[in-house]
């Protein structure tokens, strides 16, 4: 019915010069033929037009966000000497860490605030990059805020950074939801007076009642937990502070530059010296008993282990459901051992408590769903067994595997699968062959398309209706260049010919542009 209402003179939001230059059909033809194609060729023509329009809109919106974040700032880090910080470290930073620090420090001496994503594999030492920048900020008279997605992660950052930065005279505090109202009020008043140089916390940091004395740098951990909106809310806490985002989800660089179009990207592609690669094996269920014996040997030596399952409750399917499975293990194979259970449907406080108990070695074996993917650092955990491994994407398997191998002991990952398909075998072989997250993400993109990266809309970007990040790579590149061209001529999209583009971008980005572009 809606199509019947469309008249031939339907307004086309793309300027004529663009449709002509890229050989695109009119919007009316595209809408008609995407729903009721005359033939296969008409469908392709319609699809080409709609994909192009959607990706161009995305690129324009991201550039717009980037330029909006490029307001001038009074936070200029002119003294870039961090040699005292580097000397205080018990080990030398990798060249990738040093490079990321240099890139950030050169951003921070400018009048436009830094907006940088530090992308590195699990365990590549991103926290030390944040610590170095915090040291530079304090030295220049500014405060730093570090926001983590959970209390336990915030606590962990607090302990790690306190050890390194306190001896250098940097005053650190931890602001989380579990403080009493009185404690919060006192702490917030000290933060506002500038009594602390580094404030580590959870979402409590973005609350209106949290005021900073001179906020110079905002660091957020695990990019996909905080969308575009929260980033801009944090940025409003000071006079356009510098923003650093740390993500442990390796994404092929070409894709990262496009997805995080409003950010500059630093890649940390080296592991700290002394890290032992995690040995990875693929077995079928006939060898499960042997694997359990292997786990018990390590627990008997005082180590800990994870077992990950894909489902929470029993269904008709043969997939191991985590609740039933955990009960079975504690009564049969691991009787006498402390077995914990963790899944997404537990209350936040219960989850935190279980992770804390595991962290304190009160639990030897943690049976869990993928909620531990973004988890705490437990250096004593040395084995990760993943049931029904064929159910997970490569990037997710890699993220899970990164929960072990964080301490001095040799660590292992055991993938259990009875799936006989060729594609499964290829994917699991990749896991056994390499532990380089960037290589794995390239393979994942080839094998499964971008579902793993964007399946759960973790990235804070608006949802796309027809374009596909992996399949439409060429179009992505064209639209990225075209968007830069359009914005350099008309940054506000106010020219009459760009009226349709302005509307498209406003619609796609909704909330992120509330109040318009200005």
């Amino acid at each position: 019915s809606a199509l019947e209402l469309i008249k031939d003179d339907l307004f086309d939001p793309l300027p004529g010069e663009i449709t002509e230059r890229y050989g695109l059909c009119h919007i009316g033809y595209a809408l008609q033929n995407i729903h009721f194609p005359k033939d296969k060729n008409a469908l392709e023509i319609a699809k080409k037009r709609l994909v192009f329009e959607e990706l161009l809109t995305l690129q324009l919106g991201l550039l717009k966000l980037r330029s909006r974040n490029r307001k001038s700032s009074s936070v200029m880090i002119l003294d870039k000497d961090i040699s005292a910080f580097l000397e205080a470290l018990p080990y030398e930073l990798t060249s990738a860490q040093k490079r990321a620090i240099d890139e950030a420090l050169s951003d921070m001496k400018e009048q436009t605030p830094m907006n940088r994503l530090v992308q590195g594999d699990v365990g590549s030492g991103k926290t030390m990059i944040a610590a170095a920048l915090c040291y530079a900020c304090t030295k220049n008279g500014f405060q730093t805020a570090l926001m983590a997605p959970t209390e336990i992660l915030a606590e962990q950052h607090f302990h790690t950074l306190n050890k390194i930065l306190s001896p250098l005279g940097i005053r650190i505090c931890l602001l989380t939801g579990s403080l009493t109202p009185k404690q919060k009020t006192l702490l917030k008043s000290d933060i506002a007076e500038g009594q602390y140089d580094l404030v580590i916390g959870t979402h409590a940091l973005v609350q209106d009642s949290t005021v900073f004395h001179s906020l110079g740098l905002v660091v957020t951990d695990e990019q996909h937990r905080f969308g575009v909106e929260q980033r801009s809310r944090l940025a409003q806490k000071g006079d356009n502070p510098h923003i650093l985002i740390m993500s442990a989800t390796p994404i092929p660089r070409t894709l990262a530059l496009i997805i995080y179009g409003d950010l500059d990207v630093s890649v940390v592609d080296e592991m700290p010296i002394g890290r032992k690669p995690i040995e990875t094996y693929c077995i079928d269920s006939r060898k499960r008993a042997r694997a359990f014996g292997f786990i018990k040997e390590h627990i008997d030596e005082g180590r800990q282990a994870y077992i990950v399952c894909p489902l929470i409750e029993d269904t008709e399917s043969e997939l191991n459901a985590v609740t039933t499975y955990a009960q079975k293990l504690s009564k049969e194979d691991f009787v006498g051992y402390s077995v914990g259970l963790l899944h997404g449907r537990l209350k936040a406080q219960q989850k935190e408590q279980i992770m804390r108990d595991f962290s304190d070695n009160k639990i030897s074996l943690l049976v869990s769903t993928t909620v531990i993917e973004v988890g705490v650092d437990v250096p004593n955990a040395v084995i990760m067994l993943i049931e029904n491994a064929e159910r997970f994407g490569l990037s997710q398997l890699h993220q899970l595997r990164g929960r072990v191998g964080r301490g001095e002991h040799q660590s292992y990952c055991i993938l259990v699968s009875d799936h006989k398909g060729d594609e499964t075998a290829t994917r699991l072989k990749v896991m056994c062959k390499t532990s380089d997250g960037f290589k794995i993400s390239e393979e994942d993109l080839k094998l499964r398309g971008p579902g793993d990266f964007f399946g759960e809309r973790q990235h804070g970007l608006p949802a796309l209706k027809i374009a596909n990040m992996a399949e439409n790579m060429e179009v992505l590149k064209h639209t990225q260049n075209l968007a830069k061209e359009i914005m350099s001529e008309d940054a506000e999209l106010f020219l009459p010919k760009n009226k349709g583009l302005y509307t498209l971008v406003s619609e796609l980005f909704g909330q992120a542009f509330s109040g318009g572009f200005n």
Side-chain angles (χ1 to χ4, degrees):
S1 300
L3 282 173
E4 281 168 24
L5 296 172
I6 293 173
K7 299 284 181 280
D8 292 336
D9 59 351
L10 177 72
F11 171 71
D12 194 330
L14 292 188
E17 61 195 68
I18 290 177
T19 52
E20 211 168 300
R21 180 167 146 196
Y22 291 94
L24 303 170
C25 67
H26 188 276
I27 187 65
Y29 181 91
L31 290 173
Q32 189 66 48
N33 284 279
I34 201 76
H35 293 288
F36 302 104
K38 276 194 299 209
D39 51 39
K40 204 172 174 194
N41 188 39
L43 178 64
E44 285 310 308
I45 291 169
K47 195 173 177 190
K48 178 186 171 186
R49 152 68 204 232
L50 294 169
V51 165
F52 191 97
E53 179 184 301
E54 190 167 44
L55 291 177
L56 177 62
T57 307
L58 177 72
Q59 296 299 339
L60 285 168
L62 289 171
L63 284 175
K64 201 62 230 169
L65 274 177
R66 179 180 276 220
S67 66
R68 191 177 67 171
N69 289 330
R70 301 290 186 200
K71 294 171 180 167
S72 68
S73 164
S74 60
V75 183
M76 289 167 75
I77 306 300
L78 301 173
D79 178 356
K80 300 199 304 177
D81 178 17
I82 58 162
S83 50
F85 167 78
L86 296 173
E87 280 159 26
L89 290 175
Y91 46 79
E92 185 161 350
L93 295 181
T94 63
S95 52
Q97 284 171 309
K98 289 176 185 166
R99 185 177 64 236
I101 292 168
D102 288 345
E103 286 169 350
L105 286 174
S106 63
D107 286 351
M108 290 163 79
K109 72 175 201 301
E110 302 299 329
Q111 251 186 327
T112 43
M114 167 174 79
N115 214 13
R116 186 168 285 280
L117 171 76
V118 172
Q119 214 203 350
D121 231 330
V122 175
S124 58
K126 297 179 292 295
T127 312
M128 284 309 109
I129 296 165
L133 300 181
C134 166
Y135 175 79
C137 264
T138 305
K139 217 175 156 197
N140 285 265
F142 297 103
Q143 290 171 303
T144 300
L146 189 156
M147 181 154 116
T150 64
E151 276 205 21
I152 192 159
L153 263 174
E155 276 175 29
Q156 199 164 299
H157 281 312
F158 176 74
H159 295 308
T160 308
L161 294 172
N162 202 23
K163 231 181 285 178
I164 293 156
L165 296 172
S166 287
L168 297 169
I170 291 175
R171 301 159 301 173
I172 306 180
C173 68
L174 180 65
L175 176 63
T176 59
S178 61
L179 295 175
T180 65
K182 193 181 177 187
Q183 287 171 320
K184 269 188 219 160
T185 308
L186 284 170
L187 191 53
K188 286 182 179 183
S189 137
D190 287 347
I191 293 166
E193 284 169 22
Q195 300 287 327
Y196 289 102
D197 307 305
L198 169 59
V199 183
I200 297 173
T202 49
H203 290 76
L205 293 181
V206 279
Q207 287 169 354
D208 293 341
S209 56
T210 310
V211 178
F212 291 85
H213 183 254
S214 55
L215 186 59
L217 171 67
V218 170
V219 182
T220 66
D221 188 8
E222 274 310 330
Q223 151 67 10
H224 62 248
R225 295 299 176 95
F226 307 108
V228 169
E229 251 179 290
Q230 275 169 309
R231 290 213 296 269
S232 44
R233 271 183 71 192
L234 266 172
Q236 288 156 16
K237 287 281 175 189
D239 178 19
N240 293 315
H242 300 289
I243 292 182
L244 182 82
I245 291 147
M246 304 192 290
S247 174
T249 311
I251 293 175
R253 190 178 171 82
T254 44
L255 213 50
L257 293 168
I258 293 164
I259 300 158
Y260 301 115
D262 62 322
L263 302 168
D264 297 305
V265 180
S266 288
V267 175
V268 187
D269 49 9
E270 270 177 85
M271 281 310 217
I273 297 142
R275 274 280 163 101
K276 295 184 177 121
I278 300 160
E279 289 181 19
T280 305
Y281 303 98
C282 187
I283 63 170
D284 60 30
S285 58
R286 288 173 302 184
K287 292 189 181 153
R288 190 185 278 122
R290 270 177 65 187
F292 286 169
F294 184 68
I295 292 173
K296 278 189 243 183
E297 279 170 34
H298 284 79
I299 293 177
D300 293 342
E301 286 167 16
R303 307 284 83 77
Q304 290 162 277
Y306 297 96
I307 292 183
V308 176
C309 305
L311 296 175
I312 296 177
E313 281 147 10
D314 266 335
T315 58
E316 293 296 304
S317 139
E318 80 289 3
L319 297 179
N320 285 297
V322 69
T323 35
T324 320
Y325 192 33
Q327 286 163 3
K328 182 177 178 291
L329 289 177
S330 56
K331 285 181 188 147
E332 294 171 22
D333 302 275
F334 287 88
V335 71
Y337 291 86
S338 56
V339 178
L341 168 66
L342 184 68
H343 57 75
R345 290 193 200 156
L346 292 172
K347 292 197 174 84
Q349 274 175 316
Q350 289 173 296
K351 277 190 243 176
E352 297 260 340
Q353 192 52 55
I354 291 161
M355 276 317 294
R356 224 171 242 122
D357 289 347
F358 188 63
S359 201
D360 298 341
N361 204 354
K362 290 176 186 167
I363 293 172
S364 307
L365 176 65
L366 185 59
V367 183
S368 171
T369 57
T370 55
V371 289
I372 50 143
E373 196 179 343
V374 180
V376 237
D377 204 346
V378 183
N380 193 43
V382 295
I383 300 176
M384 160 78 64
L385 182 142
I386 302 173
E387 290 282 4
N388 306 104
E390 76 281 352
R391 292 287 300 219
F392 302 96
L394 282 180
S395 296
Q396 196 172 28
L397 285 172
H398 179 66
Q399 285 291 101
L400 289 166
R401 172 169 66 180
R403 294 289 110 223
V404 295
R406 292 170 163 255
E408 54 187 328
H409 309 285
Q410 177 60 55
S411 290
Y412 307 88
C413 177
I414 302 166
L415 307 171
V416 184
S417 177
D418 288 330
H419 205 271
K420 298 287 182 278
D422 289 347
E423 194 203 320
T424 300
T426 310
R427 279 181 31 233
L428 299 183
K429 228 176 252 165
V430 171
M431 287 296 296
C432 298
K433 236 175 17 200
T434 180
S435 54
D436 179 331
F438 290 96
K439 276 192 195 141
I440 284 169
S441 67
E442 295 277 3
E443 286 294 325
D444 213 9
L445 202 58
K446 275 187 230 158
L447 290 165
R448 293 197 5 145
D452 267 2
F453 303 124
F454 319 117
E456 292 167 40
R457 291 202 53 211
Q458 291 177 317
H459 43 77
L461 284 182
L464 297 175
K465 292 191 181 76
I466 189 166
N468 177 316
M469 292 280 189
E471 287 170 20
N472 306 126
M473 206 54 156
E474 275 309 300
V475 188
L476 257 174
K477 286 173 189 163
H478 287 313
T479 54
Q480 197 170 31
N481 294 330
L482 176 61
K484 284 176 186 161
E485 210 180 290
I486 293 167
M487 296 289 275
S488 66
E489 183 198 10
D490 179 19
E492 299 300 331
L493 299 178
F494 281 168
L495 290 178
K497 66 175 180 179
N498 292 331
K499 184 175 78 171
L501 291 174
Y502 180 96
T503 307
L504 287 174
V505 176
S506 303
E507 282 171 3
L508 186 67
F509 277 77
Q511 284 303 303
F513 288 137
S514 52
F517 282 160
N518 308 322

